[in-house]
Amino acid sequence: MSIEALFKPKSVAVIGASGKPGKIGYAIMKNLVDYGYEGKIYAVNVKGGEIEISGKKFPVYKSILDVPDEVDMAVIVVPAKFVPQVVEECGKKGVKVLPIISSGFGELGEEGKKVEQQLVETAHKYGMRILGPNIFGVVYTPAKLNATFGPTDVMPGKLALVSQSGALGIALMGWTILEKVGLSAVVSIGNKSDLDDADMLEYFETDENTGAILIYMEGVKDGRRFMEVAKRVSMKKPIIVIKAGRSERGAKAAASHTGSLAGADSIYTAAFKQSGVLRALTIGEAFDWARTLSNLPEPEGDNVVILTNGGGIGVMATDAAEEEGLKLYDNLEELKIFANHMPPFGSYKNPVDLTGMAGAEAYEGAVRDALAHPEMHAIAVLYCQTAVLDPRDLAKIVIKEYEASGRKKPIVVAIVGGVEAKEAIDMLNENGIPAYPEPERAIRSLAALYRWHNWKMKHKKE
């Protein structure tokens, strides 16, 4: 049973649709309309009538069975007690996939788990798949599909985000908009009664619009299957997991609100390592890594070059590189090319210190030379904001040179400074060049790309 219809449905019905702002059935209809979904949208609610959303009028069908056309996906937003009947009707209608927003199932205990199981049995009898229950919906940016009650203006990109927690998932969507992280998909998987993390990995493995996958996870149902699938997918695409419930009390808290079993943490750590999954400990770290892993090509060798205008941030980046096991290129004969872009008191030893006098020309020449040099495999561009060069102009230089070079090498940027620095960082991220406000974050994110790449190379040989 394919889950293609979850991401590329030709038509979507919202069961429990509402014309009242503040209701979830209204928010989902509004997001579908406002995000520009081009398929057919059907409103279903026992009350019938007509509703208006963002200036568009929709007739309201009393049952999914009354909808005159085929329906690929039905988003269910009715109270828990009505869900079994609605699932049965969707089966009769020939719906392919059911994101169930409604809560009040497995997360409440054994009784709820039984009802959940029955929903899955009904769905499978008709060849349908269930996402959820207890979720906030699904987004797939290439299809302009936003069937969630989260934020509307998700930025398209190459990262697929899968979250077991609803509230956190919605918050993360908002965070990606603020931080200019582009997403291919957002999937809320909630109670995982049917479709789970492994199913999502299998879909994104072959999805041409997804470059990396980030999962917020509290527990897995079938650990062995997850690891087998993750190991296979990691050979093609990087997977980052934030696994919550590291502490004993945290694990108990996770079990209480999604009904998931969280096993001993050390087991997860070992299993992730084996299957090439990168485990992030914080949300910030996960998204920092996601920028490099979803946007950059893999390095063709180990030599990293740091270009900077400040000795201090150069040293901080060097410390981080050593801690992360990155190899700084140290062939002085070759590094001498950077002498052309600095005053006599600059230093072309790696980290390459272009000095505080470095303006647009110095950075342009240095970045171009580094990108063109066959022995320089990855580049970190650091900049402390000075009056000599507006950070936004630096951003334009890096974007222009990187495009001109064909984007063949990994490059990361850190700009330390004020409001203009933040604008420059946003510009770079919008153009798929990972940029950060601190040098260590840039280096650690580059290291994450190397960690995944090295794991992959090692397993290719085996």
Side-chain angles (χ1 to χ4, degrees), residues 34-82:
D34 293 354
Y35 201 65
Y37 175 63
E38 286 159 2
K40 293 207 168 101
I41 304 169
Y42 299 104
V44 179
N45 191 313
V46 284
K47 293 178 185 147
E50 184 182 73
I51 57 175
E52 190 176 319
I53 310 272
S54 297
K56 278 190 170 176
K57 287 192 166 68
F58 293 90
V60 180
Y61 299 96
K62 290 192 171 176
S63 156
I64 186 90
L65 296 167
D66 301 336
V67 175
D69 305 308
E70 283 182 15
V71 178
D72 273 357
M73 177 161 101
V75 184
I76 299 177
V77 204
V78 298
K81 61 181 182 211
F82 302 121

Side-chain angles (χ1 to χ4, degrees), residues 296-300 371 377-380 402 407-412 446 449-450:
L296 297 182
E298 290 177 57
E300 289 185 357
L371 284 167
H377 304 124
I379 300 139
Y402 197 44
R407 300 182 74 105
K408 292 188 183 76
K409 292 180 186 181
I411 187 168
V412 292
L446 181 61
L449 177 68
Y450 266 101

Side-chain angles (χ1 to χ4, degrees), residues 63-67 69 71 84-96 98 122-123 125-128:
S63 156
I64 186 90
L65 296 167
D66 301 336
V67 175
D69 305 308
V71 178
Q85 181 200 340
V86 167
V87 171
E88 186 75 45
E89 287 173 358
C90 287
K92 288 178 179 155
K93 178 70 186 165
V95 177
K96 293 178 181 139
L98 304 175
T122 306
K125 177 176 82 182
Y126 290 105
M128 292 188 294

